[in-house]
Amino acid sequence: MKKRLHLLCAALLLLTGAQAQRYDDIARLKSMNERVNGLRSTADGEHYTVIEGDNIMRYAYAEATPGQALLPASTEKFTITDYELSADERSILIASGRTPIYRHSYTTEYLLSADGRIRPVLSDAVRPRDASFSPDGQSIAYSSENDLYVHDIASGRTRRITDDGRWNEVINGTTDWVYEEEFGFTKAYAFSPDSRRIAYLRFDESRVPLMEMMRYDGRLYNEAYTFKYPKAGERNSEVELWLCDLETGARKRIDTGAERDQYIPRIGWTPGGKLWFMRLNRMQNTFEVILCEENGAQRTIYEERSEQYVERVDDRTITFIDKDRFLVRQESHTGYMHLYLYSIRRGPLAQVTQGAWEVTELVGVADGRVYYLSSEGSPLRRNLYRVALDGSRKERLTRGDGYYTIDPSAGMKYFIATFSNATTPNRVEVCSSDGTTVRTLATSEELARELQATRRPVKEFFTFVTERGDTLNAYMVKPRDFDPAKRYPVLLTQYSGPGSQQVLDRWSLDWEDALVDAGYIVACTDGRGTGCRGELFKKKTYGRLGALEVEDQLSFARYLGRQAYIDPARIGIYGWSYGGFMALGCALKGHGLFRMAIAVAPVTSWRYYDTIYTEIYNGLPQFNARGYDDNSPLNFARMLDDKRTRLLIIHGTADDNVHFQNSMEMARALNRAGKQYDMMVYPDQNHSMMPDDTHNVRQKIVDYTLEHL
């Protein structure tokens, strides 16, 4: 008895010591991974700017010279949140401070640096946002309380472009919630190249159902925050495209077609000064780019159709090169994401890239060559290539085996490459256009030394074959001094959402690594539906989210359980958001396979999630009810084996993305089924557990895993 008591005390002391430092140390190491943030190229392509403290610094790409401070000395202290240089680079528009609206949107105060002084600008505006210079640098457009304005810098006068903006009814010049979240932009206006006109989107969200989110905020009486959120199958905003002549003030609505239940995910102007807009149908399987002629005529210059869906568009889906030619990144022609050259006048000209791999990003175009990142060689890696517009003379410009991100200069004279792989933290270099290293900006040397000195475990990549014959990519992180003769507990970490990737050859460190320090194995696999393995692999999950993905995670758990060095009775699974949906599905369908499951901010029914994301992958619930219900965790709560599987659900009450409703309904279903589970609630925290509890939630996950797995 005494010996057992001594062992218990020793174990408790060890656990207590580990708890005192385990996530803090991981967070410290993670913060040491060096990068250069906020890079902006100047127009000459020879210099770049970055935010450093309370100033904006200008550096040369080619030479390691002291930076030039672009802001004059100021007695007023302010925080630089964002900034934009005017076209002639004589003025700087500065966003100072941030009051969040949703995940990507915020209001701020604006300052203008010009003529050797800094002064407030747009000070008469009520909560301004999304401000930017006109191309000639003479005006600033911005939105305030759902209306669009243009401010003349020289005169100080402001013109109100719209006057019908109202909260939860009409939005002008910025986006509604679902466009912001799923199409990834908030500035919904665009100046013409000559600065004489401004095009903007108008959202009528008056008939979009209202969502109420309770705010507590330490008040005596809590308060409901209401906003328009279109859930799957429900009404979207009706979106119109308008054009204002800034010389006359005349406005007119641009015809976007007879269909009102559609999306306009981007607008812009060609280099030749013609207005264009993207059009996407509600099912998101027909995508068009429409060009507007000066005489009012319109024509479709690009069209793409898919039996299931067209991959979600972004700023680099279409890239105009000159007055006539543009590049398109798409997958429907060959089943892999590639680049195609089109002419406004003549249609398709050339397939620029091809092969059983994917172009993941168009970086730039210069001197008749296209620069792009791709997965050629391995879906786990990214490298920079360049190729002629006709598809000839392809060159690989980056040489490391791992993962690159690229920040190009204007005209692609230089680029800044950030490289890492599973064993190497970030290395940041300035390179010339042919890939030759010019100089090194950061090496993460201090972090690298500590990782080596502490023998930090690294990812080991492998593949395995499921019972259905699918080969899946995976990684595993083993504890220090791993002994194959021992048996270890294992945690599966995953996201699994359509087109996503977790298994990548890039350096990373997160809360899961605290478990590795405590003697656990951490493993991850990308199942069917994930990205960079072609259209067929990705779209297998269409119309039945959560069916095949759960099968693949269960297969992975069974595969791991058969390994001699893994304890099959101590397998756990974790996920956040879509990953939380998956963790619940695996816990409920696993029949005790998992000893523990943690679901953070989980979707529990796709009926509760937004239109754009859900319907592109699952169709509309009116036509695919089974796709929504057959794999909803709410409908098989009774299957939880709570004697063998310990379940923790975590959610923030102010999550405007995956609403707290999801976890409340999951709790209701589990309660009705008489199941036991655990729950951690974070008052007034959003989907990322911000603004206060990003650290706390990770510590909670670590502690829970150590206790129950």
Side-chain angles (χ1 to χ4, degrees), residues 274-316:
K274 293 184 178 180
L275 177 65
W276 59 265
F277 64 91
M278 295 179 180
R279 184 166 63 197
L280 189 64
N281 67 335
R282 177 73 182 253
M283 290 295 294
Q284 300 179 69
N285 57 13
T286 300
F287 169 62
E288 301 166 280
V289 180
I290 312 296
L291 189 73
C292 303
E293 301 286 1
E294 292 296 333
N295 62 6
Q298 294 183 355
R299 56 196 177 97
T300 300
I301 60 173
Y302 177 74
E303 183 175 11
E304 183 179 348
R305 296 176 183 270
S306 172
E307 183 179 347
Q308 293 148 321
Y309 61 87
V310 175
E311 185 55 67
R312 285 193 291 172
V313 300
D314 58 28
D315 289 331
R316 295 186 177 177

Side-chain angles (χ1 to χ4, degrees), residues 535-549:
E535 184 181 24
L536 181 61
F537 185 86
K538 180 178 66 177
K539 293 183 178 179
K540 283 183 177 181
T541 60
Y542 177 79
R544 44 179 177 162
L545 294 181
L548 306 186
E549 306 98 301

Side-chain angles (χ1 to χ4, degrees), residues 214-269:
M214 195 59 65
R215 299 285 312 194
Y216 302 94
D217 297 312
R219 296 188 181 100
L220 183 61
Y221 293 92
N222 53 276
E223 185 175 286
Y225 177 81
T226 61
F227 61 106
K228 294 302 183 84
Y229 184 106
K231 300 197 176 190
E234 300 295 321
R235 279 187 178 273
N236 276 316
S237 294
E238 290 190 6
V239 184
E240 297 174 345
L241 174 59
W242 283 75
L243 182 63
C244 177
D245 186 313
L246 295 175
E247 294 181 343
T248 66
R251 294 186 302 147
K252 64 176 180 179
R253 187 169 74 84
I254 303 299
D255 182 15
T256 55
E259 178 59 64
R260 305 290 287 175
D261 192 11
Q262 63 180 5
Y263 301 109
I264 306 176
R266 290 293 189 280
I267 61 174
W269 299 81

Side-chain angles (χ1 to χ4, degrees), residues 19-34:
Q19 286 178 345
Q21 56 80 39
R22 60 180 178 272
Y23 180 65
D24 285 342
D25 194 51
I26 295 298
R28 179 185 65 84
L29 290 172
K30 188 176 179 180
S31 69
M32 293 167 64
N33 194 26
E34 297 177 2

Side-chain angles (χ1 to χ4, degrees), residues 27 62 131 179 220 329 360 391 403 563 571 586 706:
Y179 269 58
L220 183 61
R329 179 175 167 267
T360 58
Y403 197 100
Q563 308 310 304
I571 301 175
C586 290
L706 291 174

